């Protein structure tokens, strides 16, 4: 019996890092995502193959049910497999039926975006597994990988969302965001993959005593971003957000460090210093970024659901 599941990728527009402490985050699901295909197998094992967007195989191995039950992790060079074992082990603790009442599986995953883009290779996988096993994707994320959960919310929703944690529980609100200036918004891939866990650890080392005030400020800016009627209002709000996060993280903004001569605003998305940034400009910025050596520039309409 073949089963297929799909989850959306994600981009975090406001609230990076602060979302971990209850701030409101504005996030957009992407047109890119990941499929999970489940077929029957045998020998009490899982044959697992993961395809990148170009059709190349980036994971191809077998796991015995015993490996999952005992969480038999491999060496450091096998970090992707170890992450998968952890996710499946935590899935078993939430719903043991998929192993206790099965002979085995053949499982295939297929990304529709290059996995180095950072649009949610792990979150889309976790949400797909949660759909398959009828368990809570937020709980599975928390138990296996950690993080705020906004990426799981994007995986599950086909519209823009406002997301926050209330006493540790996820609160997801669908919002309307249809900017008339969408042709002035582009997403630029920096080709510097950020490790989410390392970035979060850095945030916790740097966050200061004014955290409650900073969360209030973040929420005001997020509200201003959602209410912006003009490109100017939108850009001013995001420029303020970038300046405040620069102060909290004690890091230069991406514009300061890489694009000081850019005629427009650049907003970091998610972990600072890697993956995608949002470029806001009146003129088409493709020539500017390609001239700087950045080849992946995606328009708003091609990226966002």
């Amino acid at each position: 019996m073949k089963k297929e599941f799909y989850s959306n990728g994600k981009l975090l527009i406001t609230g990076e890092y602060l979302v971990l402490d209850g701030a409101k985050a504005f996030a957009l699901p992407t047109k890119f995502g990941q499929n999970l295909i489940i077929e029957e197998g045998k020998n009490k094992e899982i044959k697992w193959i993961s395809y990148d967007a170009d059709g190349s195989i980036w994971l191809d191995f077998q796991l015995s049910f015993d490996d999952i039950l005992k969480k038999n992790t491999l060496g450091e060079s096998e970090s992707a497999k170890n992450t998968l074992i952890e996710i499946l082990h935590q899935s078993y603790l939430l719903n043991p039926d998929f192993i206790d009442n099965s002979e085995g599986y053949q499982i295939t995953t297929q990304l529709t975006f290059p996995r180095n883009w950072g649009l949610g290779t792990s979150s889309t996988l976790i949400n797909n597994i949660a759909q398959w096993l009828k368990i809570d994707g937020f709980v599975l994320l928390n138990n296996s990988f950690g993080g705020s959960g906004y990426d799981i919310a994007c995986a599950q929703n086909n519209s823009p969302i406002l997301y926050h944690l209330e006493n540790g529980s996820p609160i997801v609100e669908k919002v309307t965001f249809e900017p008339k200036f969408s042709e002035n918004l582009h997403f630029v891939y920096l080709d510097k993959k950020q490790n989410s866990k390392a970035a979060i650890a850095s945030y916790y080392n740097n966050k200061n005593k004014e955290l409650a005030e900073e969360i209030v400020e973040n929420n005001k800016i997020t509200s201003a971003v959602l209410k912006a009627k003009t490109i100017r209002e939108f850009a001013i709000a995001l420029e303020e957000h970038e300046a405040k996060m620069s102060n909290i993280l004690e890091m230069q903004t991406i514009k300061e460090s890489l694009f000081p001569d850019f005629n427009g605003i650049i907003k970091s998305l998610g972990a600072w210093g890697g993956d995608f940034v949002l470029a806001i400009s009146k003129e088409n910025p493709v020539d500017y970024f390609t001239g700087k050596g950045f080849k992946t520039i995606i328009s708003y309409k091609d990226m966002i659901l």
Side-chain angles (χ1 to χ4, degrees):
M1 193 73 147
K2 188 174 178 180
K3 295 179 181 177
E4 189 163 348
F5 304 92
Y6 178 81
S7 291
N8 303 318
K10 47 72 182 181
L11 283 168
L12 186 60
I13 308 301
T14 72
E16 66 269 21
Y17 301 109
L18 292 169
V19 66
L20 294 160
D21 289 298
K24 289 189 175 180
F26 170 44
L28 296 169
T30 68
K31 289 182 175 177
F32 302 97
Q34 183 167 210
N35 292 291
L36 174 72
I37 299 165
I38 311 289
E39 297 176 272
E40 290 177 5
K42 55 189 179 182
N43 301 330
K44 300 286 184 182
E45 68 179 13
I46 295 176
K47 289 187 176 181
W48 189 285
I49 299 181
S50 290
Y51 293 94
D52 211 330
D54 62 1
S56 62
I57 293 172
W58 68 279
L59 276 181
D60 183 1
F61 64 103
Q62 296 177 16
L63 282 179
S64 71
F65 283 180
D66 211 39
D67 288 334
I68 295 165
L69 297 181
K70 294 178 179 174
K71 206 159 77 170
N72 291 332
T73 51
L74 310 165
E76 276 186 33
S77 63
E78 305 285 2
S79 62
K81 294 179 188 175
N82 289 341
T83 297
L84 183 58
I85 290 168
E86 177 67 26
I87 293 167
L88 291 171
H89 177 77
Q90 295 300 333
S91 298
Y92 174 77
L93 297 180
L94 294 168
N95 179 7
D97 281 358
F98 90 98
I99 282 182
D100 291 349
N101 297 322
S102 172
E103 287 305 308
Y105 299 100
Q106 293 185 58
I107 298 181
T108 305
T109 70
Q110 172 72 64
L111 287 162
T112 68
F113 60 89
R115 66 188 177 94
N116 58 340
W117 277 10
L119 293 182
T121 304
S122 299
S123 56
T124 52
L125 174 64
I126 286 169
N127 192 63
N128 280 337
I129 289 173
Q131 288 183 83
W132 166 39
L133 300 179
K134 296 181 173 62
I135 56 182
D136 188 316
F138 294 101
V139 173
L140 181 56
L141 174 81
N142 191 57
N143 292 358
S144 60
F145 208 74
S148 71
Y150 88 88
D151 45 5
I152 298 295
C154 283
Q156 296 176 355
N157 285 280
N158 295 329
S159 67
I161 59 163
L162 201 54
Y163 179 88
H164 74 282
L165 292 169
E166 203 166 280
N167 299 320
S169 297
I171 308 294
V172 184
E173 179 187 349
K174 292 183 181 181
V175 293
T176 301
F177 183 69
E178 297 169 345
K180 292 177 181 175
F181 46 85
S182 61
E183 71 275 9
N184 302 110
L185 308 179
H186 291 79
F187 299 97
V188 183
Y189 179 56
L190 299 184
D191 200 12
K192 292 181 182 176
K193 186 77 188 85
Q194 285 294 86
N195 181 313
S196 300
K197 289 180 180 176
I200 288 166
S202 173
Y203 161 70
Y204 277 125
N205 288 338
N206 282 316
K207 73 177 184 179
N208 56 40
K209 292 171 185 173
E210 283 83 46
L211 188 61
E213 292 169 30
E214 281 156 356
I215 288 172
V216 169
E217 284 299 308
N218 170 89
N219 294 351
K220 283 182 186 172
I221 293 170
T222 295
S223 179
V225 167
L226 283 170
K227 290 176 182 173
K229 295 286 189 289
T230 66
I231 185 173
R232 186 171 184 275
E233 291 170 347
F234 185 74
I236 287 170
L238 288 183
E239 188 174 35
E240 185 183 357
H241 191 296
E242 196 80 342
K244 288 190 179 297
M245 286 310 303
S246 172
N247 185 49
I248 291 168
L249 296 172
E250 298 175 356
M251 288 174 67
Q252 274 192 316
T253 67
I254 289 293
K255 184 171 180 180
E256 287 169 335
S257 60
L258 293 180
F259 310 112
D261 58 343
F262 179 66
N263 186 18
I265 304 301
I266 294 177
K267 170 73 178 66
S268 295
L269 305 176
W272 272 40
D275 301 335
F276 280 89
V277 295
L278 171 62
I280 309 161
S281 58
K282 289 188 176 174
E283 273 103 50
N284 189 316
V286 170
D287 288 346
Y288 171 85
F289 287 110
T290 53
K292 295 275 187 182
F294 297 89
K295 303 288 191 290
T296 304
I297 303 117
I298 303 174
S299 68
Y300 184 92
K301 71 178 176 59
D302 289 337
M303 176 70 90
I304 303 303
L305 265 180

